[in-house]
Amino acid sequence: MHSQVSELLNQLMSVARNGANPSKRLKASPGGLQEGTPVQLKEGTVVTLGPAGQRLPAPFGGKMKPQVAVQIPWVFSHEDPGVGGSGPLAWVMNLPCTLDSESYPLFYLYGHVPKDAILVQ
């Protein structure tokens, strides 16, 4: 099933990039990354997670340890300027995955990291 979802996501991304309607194309960030681009995180990167859904707390207590974060398949969502001089933040979401005995559906894990912690695959 994971490969079917992955294939569907790849097809959707291809149509979005090459579609006839320019208003429906994926938006590029100022750094050149596009929404949905598969990314990896630099070693040692902590992901600050948001709530997993309406009325659900953030998984992993809101902070995903670096040892766990590098095992998750991530896609780039968007970036924002950050607050308090923290520098630009990159928002990432997970692709479907299993970690130990726990399964995480598409976009269940959503959070941010410093933009310079993103590596394009």
Side-chain angles (χ1 to χ4, degrees), residues 21-39:
N21 185 350
S23 67
K24 297 291 182 184
R25 290 195 182 138
L26 297 175
K27 298 174 189 163
S29 75
L33 283 172
Q34 287 189 330
E35 295 174 35
T37 301
V39 295

Side-chain angles (χ1 to χ4, degrees), residues 68-84:
V68 177
V70 297
Q71 298 178 52
I72 304 293
W74 297 103
V75 293
F76 175 77
S77 172
H78 66 281
E79 69 178 76
D80 68 40
V83 292

